[in-house]
């Protein structure tokens, strides 16, 4: 049984993923596994697979020895070079992503919006190949369009702009409120920065010190993932009642090459730039 060591924030978890619990709804959370861990406690399928692989290798060697034929070494084919532009339903190329990110933000959107750090311009979340229209599904060469999704922290709106890759024009803009996709890497980092700067981050720093013997001074010392926190009526402190309308994040924190640190009791309201403890 894995041991949970109770410390300042609750516990430092020396195992794999932390189970998510609580009365509020968590949206779009995926906890990474423990990289490089030896997970042998399952049904034994891994052991059987290894045995089968070994048997197959042995049979191949016997066959090779019997026929006198040498076993050719495996060859890893090099991936073809990526072009500037994809075709049809090909995934967006790096060049296309860079191009549509610039095309999607015109001067008006840039000057009237704010990113997660409070700077001018919206916070980019995702860039995806847009789905074809109904009359384009069976087309031999359907138009290539990209959906670029931003979050505007100035007024808490989700903005999706669809860019036609051939013409370079924005063909559709959709604005929504109360829609909270999973946080981006930049948002997780900013949430951690706010936590480290807040008095409530003292427990995280103490747990890091206990786990590593070193001081926690930068988010670079952590592996971060996060999920959106939504308020449920009466289920959390009043300071978090706007979560869902505001962009609120609960972080999952792991020491680089070390254990998990349980920080689930802390919620960072990125819109209001404040940290709240669910237990208070």
């Amino acid at each position: 049984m894995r041991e949970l060591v109770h410390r300042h924030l609750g516990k430092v978890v020396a195992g794999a993923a932390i189970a998510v619990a609580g009365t509020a709804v968590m949206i779009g959370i995926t906890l990474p596994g423990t990289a490089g861990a030896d997970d042998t406690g399952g049904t034994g399928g891994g052991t059987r697979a290894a045995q089968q692989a070994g048997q197959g290798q042995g049979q191949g060697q016997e066959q090779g020895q019997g026929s006198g034929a040498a076993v050719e070494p495996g060859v890893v084919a090099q991936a073809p070079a990526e072009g500037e532009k994809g075709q049809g339903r090909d995934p967006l190329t790096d060049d296309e992503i860079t191009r549509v990110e610039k095309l999607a933000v015109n001067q008006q959107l840039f000057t009237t919006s704010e990113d997660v750090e409070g700077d001018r311009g919206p916070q980019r979340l995702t860039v995806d190949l847009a789905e074809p229209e109904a009359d384009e599904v069976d087309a031999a060469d359907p138009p290539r369009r990209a959906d670029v999704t931003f979050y505007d922290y100035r007024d808490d709106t989700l903005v999706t702009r669809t860019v036609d890759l051939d013409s370079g024009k924005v063909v559709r803009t959709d604005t929504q409120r109360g829609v909270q996709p999973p946080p981006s890497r930049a948002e997780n980092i900013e949430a951690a920065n706010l936590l480290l700067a807040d008095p409530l981050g003292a427990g995280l720093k103490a747990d890091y010190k206990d786990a590593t013997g070193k001081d926690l001074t930068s988010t670079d010392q952590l592996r971060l993932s996060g999920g959106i926190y939504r308020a449920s009526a009466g289920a959390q402190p009043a300071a978090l009642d706007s979560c869902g309308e505001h962009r609120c994040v609960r972080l999952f924190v792991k020491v680089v090459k070390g254990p998990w640190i349980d920080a689930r009791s802390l919620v960072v309201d990125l819109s209001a730039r404040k940290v709240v403890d669910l237990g208070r």
Side-chain angles (χ1 to χ4, degrees):
M1 180 180 294
R2 294 188 175 97
E3 181 181 0
L4 302 185
V5 183
H6 289 267
R7 291 197 176 99
H8 312 274
L9 276 176
K11 52 187 171 294
V12 174
V13 183
I18 302 171
V20 177
T23 54
V25 180
M26 294 293 297
I27 305 298
I29 300 170
T30 302
L31 268 176
T34 305
D38 181 13
D39 297 326
T40 58
T43 61
T47 302
R48 289 195 296 271
Q51 291 173 347
Q52 293 170 358
Q55 291 172 358
Q57 183 180 11
Q59 292 172 357
Q61 291 175 344
E62 292 174 0
Q63 293 173 357
Q65 291 171 357
S67 63
V71 178
E72 295 293 332
V75 177
V76 178
Q78 186 175 2
E82 184 181 70
E84 293 184 3
K85 182 179 178 180
Q87 300 293 325
R89 300 298 299 163
D90 289 347
L92 295 170
T93 66
D94 290 343
D95 286 339
E96 286 177 323
I97 291 173
T98 300
R99 179 169 172 251
V100 297
E101 285 177 344
K102 295 178 180 178
L103 292 171
V105 182
N106 58 16
Q107 188 63 34
Q108 180 181 2
L109 178 60
F110 179 78
T111 56
T112 60
S113 60
E114 291 182 4
D115 66 13
V116 68
E117 297 180 9
D119 297 328
R120 284 201 303 176
Q123 180 65 48
R124 183 181 67 81
L125 300 182
T126 59
V127 181
D128 299 299
L129 188 68
E131 292 296 324
E133 302 292 340
D135 59 351
E136 299 170 350
V137 173
D138 297 325
D141 187 20
R144 281 175 66 79
R145 292 182 288 265
D147 288 333
V148 189
T149 304
F150 304 96
Y151 197 83
D152 182 359
Y153 278 89
R154 181 185 61 84
D155 57 3
D156 282 299
T157 55
L158 182 72
V159 181
T160 303
R161 310 201 84 187
T162 303
V163 179
D164 186 297
L165 289 162
D166 290 326
S167 67
K169 295 181 178 179
V170 175
V171 295
R172 184 167 57 248
T173 299
D174 182 42
T175 302
Q176 298 171 285
R177 294 181 183 274
V179 179
Q180 298 291 347
S184 65
R185 181 174 182 272
E187 289 174 311
N188 287 333
I189 291 174
E190 183 62 14
N193 281 327
L194 291 172
L195 178 56
L196 292 180
D198 192 275
L200 288 175
L204 174 61
K205 294 176 182 178
D207 283 345
Y208 186 91
K209 181 82 169 183
D210 286 349
T212 66
K214 300 177 181 179
D215 292 330
L216 176 58
T217 59
S218 169
T219 57
D220 292 338
Q221 296 166 263
L222 303 171
R223 285 181 57 188
L224 300 167
S225 56
I228 292 297
Y229 180 92
R230 284 184 175 275
S232 296
Q236 67 282 313
L240 294 177
D241 284 347
S242 296
C243 289
E245 177 185 345
H246 283 189
R247 195 150 173 79
C248 300
V249 172
R250 195 191 298 197
L251 289 172
F252 299 91
V253 181
K254 187 178 185 299
V255 177
V256 173
K257 298 183 180 179
W260 291 93
I261 297 178
D262 187 2
R264 290 174 296 168
S265 65
L266 303 176
V267 175
V268 182
D269 184 335
L270 289 171
S271 299
R273 300 186 66 80
K274 65 183 180 182
V275 182
V276 180
D277 190 340
L278 288 171
R280 296 183 182 180

